[in-house]
């Protein structure tokens, strides 16, 4: 299955842990797509981290046993993670509790273990620990070697993984060098790359950290994870930016999944394709396969692709989150219009520049994209052409609304439908807003004195403000600004830049 010895997924995020049923479905998915490792390590399981000194109940252990059996039947190693927050290394009672907890899981038949000290202070909590070890690195070497020795006394294990306190950067620190020197060779050390969420993982960087650690690095790749401030982004797009020969320097990759397990399967499907054939991997074609497999229906896949294209904000496409198909169409609209109203303000930062090509996205439609934006505004068109332009975009927003409606109401995959609902609702809101603003503009072009115009404008603004209340990220401010520009253009058409501002019904308090 390709050059990577370990091909894994970790439930290692902050936020709502997955349900047991969600884990079972994920394990089934991993087994179908060539993964060979699943790690249980959700930060907000309090017994895993904050209250790690408490033992798991027998009923909780039975769940781990069930997951272990399910993994084993599908050729996957179940790895139990433990993150002992504020561990008192020199306290015999705490160390006994740690060993007892690991042993309770070992007795279930679990043979994969991970110790995590990530996102913890790089200083000791207790003076006697500092006096005993001198450095956190020395304590971590001692702890891991002691845990590994105990596990081997019980009968041996298949994998032992360690997430250090320093898990990203240049890979040359004294802390990492001491880990490399002191850890037993069986310890697999995890690393997220140059950054916590790394846009690229290169073979050159992998060789640096592997040399420091004196063992091939095992990547913890923070995609498609979307915890913390990223929770508003669905991270549905394909994996990219990983070197084709990364497997020559790395032991493997463990992808940190997102808060939405079913939606995670779309990018995880592309990761499976990359790890199976890094040289032949092409992100967009891999994404098309992933969408079809996870959605289970071709029309559903196109609808999710349309949503994901507009919600593409992630570190993998940093600086290009507004480079969606719609952005190019909106830019072309204003170019052919003769330019957006000057009163409406400057362009958004990060929108496609003149001369850029729209991305080719096979999952949307064959040949979609690759249309460059010509430079400069064209001569102002006549009224008939402007009406045609508004008609074209009304049709485009109707198409996008239909995609949102399909996600909301008629998807084959019910779990994916439920997870994507907030983003689909946001898209529907933006489509309503844009359609109302375009209709107001169209009405102003046809008859500036049309009595319906003030109500259309108010409805557009009401919908815009209501849509802003949904923080789930879809197209950023792209459609927001477009709708407002349409209303400014409608005002110009109805009465010039200094025309009458509609105030009826505004501020009419009780």
């Amino acid at each position: 299955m390709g050059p990577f010895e370990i091909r894994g997924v970790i439930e290692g995020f902050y936020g709502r842990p997955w349900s047991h049923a969600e884990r079972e479905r994920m394990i089934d998915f991993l087994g179908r797509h060539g993964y060979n490792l699943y790690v249980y390590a959700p930060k907000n399981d309090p017994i895993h981290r904050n209250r790690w000194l408490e033992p798991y109940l027998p009923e909780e252990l039975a769940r781990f046993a069930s997951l272990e059996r399910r993994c084993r039947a599908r050729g996957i190693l179940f790895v139990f993670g433990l993150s002992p927050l504020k561990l008192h290394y020199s306290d015999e009672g705490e160390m006994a509790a740690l060993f007892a907890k690991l042993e309770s899981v070992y007795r279930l038949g679990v043979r994969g273990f991970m110790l995590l000290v990530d996102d913890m202070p790089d200083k000791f909590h207790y003076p006697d620990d500092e006096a005993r070890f001198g450095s956190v690195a020395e304590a971590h070497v001692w702890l891991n070697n002691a845990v590994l020795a105990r596990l081997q006394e019980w009968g041996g294990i298949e994998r032992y993984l360690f997430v250090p306190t320093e898990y990203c950067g240049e890979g040359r620190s004294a802390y990492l060098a001491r880990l490399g020197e002191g850890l037993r060779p069986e310890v697999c050390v995890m690393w997220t790359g140059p950054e916590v969420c790394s846009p690229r993982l290169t073979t050159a960087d992998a060789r640096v950290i592997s040399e420091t650690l004196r063992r091939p690095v095992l990547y913890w790749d923070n995609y498609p994870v979307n915890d913390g401030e990223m929770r508003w982004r669905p991270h549905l797009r394909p994996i990219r930016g990983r070197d084709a020969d990364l497997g020559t320097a790395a032991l493997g990759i463990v992808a940190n999944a997102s808060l939405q397990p079913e939606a995670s399967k779309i990018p995880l499907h592309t990761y499976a394709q990359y790890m199976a054939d890094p040289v032949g991997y092409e992100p967009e074609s891999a994404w098309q396969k992933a969408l079809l497999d996870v959605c289970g229906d071709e029309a559903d896949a196109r609808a999710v692709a349309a949503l994901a294209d507009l919600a593409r904000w992630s570190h993998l496409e940093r600086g290009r989150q507004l480079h969606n198909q719609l952005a190019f169409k909106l830019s072309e609209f204003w170019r052919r219009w003769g330019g957006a109203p000057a009163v409406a303000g400057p362009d958004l930062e990060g929108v496609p520049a003149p001369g850029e090509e729209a991305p080719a996205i096979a999952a949307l439609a064959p040949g979609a994209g690759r249309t460059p934006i010509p430079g400069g505004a064209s001569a102002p068109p006549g009224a008939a052409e402007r009406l045609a332009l508004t008609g074209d975009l009304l049709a485009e927003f109707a198409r996008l609304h239909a995609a949102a409606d399909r996600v909301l109401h008629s998807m084959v995959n019910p779990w994916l439908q439920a997870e994507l609902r907030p983003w689909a609702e946001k898209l529907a809101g933006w489509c309503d807003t844009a359609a109302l603003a375009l209709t107001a503009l169209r009405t102003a072009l046809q008859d500036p004195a049309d009595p319906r115009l003030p109500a259309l404008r108010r409805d557009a603004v009401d919908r815009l403000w209501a849509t802003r209340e949904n923080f789930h990220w879809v197209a950023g401010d792209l459609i927001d600004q477009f709708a407002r520009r349409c209303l400014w253009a409608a005002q110009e058409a109805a009465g010039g830049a200094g025309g009458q501002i509609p105030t009826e019904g505004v501020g009419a308090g009780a």
Side-chain angles (χ1 to χ4, degrees):
M1 289 295 296
F4 296 99
E5 185 175 330
I6 293 178
R7 304 174 301 281
V9 166
I10 181 170
E11 183 185 345
F13 44 76
Y14 294 89
R16 181 192 74 87
W18 295 342
S19 70
H20 188 69
E22 287 170 337
R23 292 187 187 107
E24 289 180 327
R25 291 196 295 271
M26 178 60 76
I27 290 166
D28 293 347
F29 168 86
L30 299 180
R32 291 195 302 270
H33 295 287
Y35 285 92
N36 60 11
L37 182 139
Y38 161 77
V39 183
Y40 175 87
K43 293 289 197 294
N44 283 94
D45 169 1
I47 313 305
H48 158 79
R49 184 172 169 94
N50 291 7
R51 289 157 44 206
W52 70 270
L53 282 163
E54 299 178 28
Y56 281 107
L57 292 164
E59 295 82 358
E60 293 169 322
L61 290 173
R63 290 191 169 199
F64 293 136
S66 172
L67 293 176
E68 153 64 25
R69 290 192 299 270
R70 198 177 196 94
C71 283
R72 190 73 62 180
R74 288 153 181 78
I76 297 167
L77 178 66
F78 174 78
V79 176
F80 173 80
L82 183 61
S83 184
L85 190 66
K86 297 183 180 179
L87 172 65
H88 192 174
Y89 301 88
S90 302
D91 186 301
E92 292 184 3
E94 288 205 8
M95 289 303 301
L98 186 147
F99 289 135
K101 191 163 200 170
L102 294 177
E103 187 176 11
S104 70
V105 176
Y106 189 91
R107 287 177 176 174
L108 304 174
V110 173
R111 295 298 180 264
F113 289 87
M114 172 190 281
L115 203 63
L116 304 92
V117 294
D118 54 320
D119 300 338
M120 296 186 188
D122 59 359
K123 297 179 181 179
F124 292 107
H125 290 280
Y126 304 99
D128 57 343
D129 285 342
E130 185 167 10
R132 176 182 176 184
F133 295 106
S135 72
V136 170
E138 201 64 44
H140 290 171
V141 167
W142 172 83
L143 174 65
N144 281 282
N145 289 346
V147 169
L148 183 57
R150 187 65 62 93
L151 291 167
Q152 290 177 335
E153 286 177 13
W154 295 333
I157 56 171
E158 295 180 43
R159 290 284 183 189
Y160 181 82
L161 283 57
F162 173 56
V163 185
T165 299
E166 180 184 340
Y167 54 80
C168 66
E170 294 183 358
R172 301 180 186 273
S173 71
Y175 168 83
L176 295 169
R178 179 61 191 126
L179 294 184
E181 177 184 57
L183 288 175
R184 294 175 57 167
E186 303 97 314
V187 178
C188 304
V189 182
M190 304 200 73
W191 183 251
T192 67
E195 304 177 39
V196 175
C197 298
S198 296
R200 291 203 63 204
L201 296 180
T202 69
T203 306
D205 287 341
R207 289 190 175 123
V208 169
I209 183 62
S210 296
E211 181 180 353
T212 301
L213 293 174
R214 303 188 185 189
R215 69 203 70 211
V217 67
L218 176 59
Y219 278 105
W220 167 315
D221 196 352
N222 273 320
Y223 189 80
V225 68
N226 61 345
D227 55 2
E229 287 302 308
M230 298 186 292
R231 66 190 180 278
W232 308 112
R233 315 172 204 166
H235 289 178
L236 298 169
R237 296 274 294 143
I239 193 67
R240 63 181 72 236
R242 277 70 188 132
D243 279 0
D245 60 346
L246 187 62
T248 63
L251 178 65
I253 299 171
V254 180
N256 193 10
S258 76
L259 294 162
Q260 295 79 28
E262 199 68 20
S264 278
K265 293 173 186 176
I266 297 172
L268 291 176
H269 193 297
T270 69
Y271 224 145
Q273 294 179 65
Y274 162 78
M275 287 191 281
D277 181 15
V279 174
Y281 177 76
E282 197 288 310
E284 295 300 335
S285 61
W287 193 47
Q288 187 175 21
K289 294 176 185 176
L291 285 163
L292 285 169
D293 184 77
V294 177
C295 292
D297 177 87
E298 189 172 346
D300 289 357
R302 286 196 299 271
V304 174
L307 176 61
D309 181 45
L310 291 164
R312 61 170 54 221
W313 187 11
S314 82
H315 56 280
L316 298 184
E317 299 180 88
R318 187 176 291 167
R320 297 181 63 83
Q321 55 262 39
L322 295 183
H323 282 57
N324 51 65
Q325 296 286 318
L326 180 64
F328 288 83
K329 294 175 181 179
L330 300 187
S331 295
E332 176 65 5
F333 174 89
W334 291 119
R335 187 194 71 82
R336 293 177 61 189
W337 190 270
V343 69
D347 289 341
L348 296 174
E349 184 178 348
V351 296
E356 285 193 71
E357 289 186 346
I361 303 176
L364 287 174
R370 300 303 185 196
T371 302
I373 301 175
S378 62
E385 186 178 348
R386 284 184 165 178
L387 285 171
L389 288 172
T390 60
D392 289 344
L393 274 189
L394 279 167
E396 175 64 15
F397 281 108
R399 183 188 69 81
L400 290 173
H401 205 306
D405 287 342
R406 188 170 190 93
V407 174
L408 288 168
H409 303 300
S410 59
M411 288 190 70
V412 170
N413 184 330
W415 304 294
L416 185 61
Q417 180 178 23
E419 291 177 0
L420 295 183
R421 174 170 292 277
W423 287 277
E425 289 175 341
K426 181 67 168 283
L427 176 56
W430 280 143
C431 290
D432 289 341
T433 300
L436 286 164
L438 281 164
T439 301
L441 175 54
R442 189 180 181 87
T443 302
L445 290 171
Q446 292 171 320
D447 181 3
D450 192 312
R452 298 172 298 172
L453 189 54
L456 281 169
R457 294 179 60 93
R458 285 196 302 273
D459 289 348
V461 172
D462 286 347
R463 194 68 173 103
L464 185 151
W465 281 47
T467 302
R468 287 175 178 171
E469 294 175 16
N470 180 342
F471 270 40
H472 293 81
W473 200 93
V474 177
D477 289 336
L478 185 70
I479 303 173
D480 184 312
Q481 186 190 65
F482 174 76
R484 298 182 77 257
R485 284 181 165 184
C486 285
L487 294 177
W488 282 113
Q491 184 173 316
E492 289 182 353
Q500 181 68 32
I501 303 294
T503 59
E504 181 184 347
V506 176

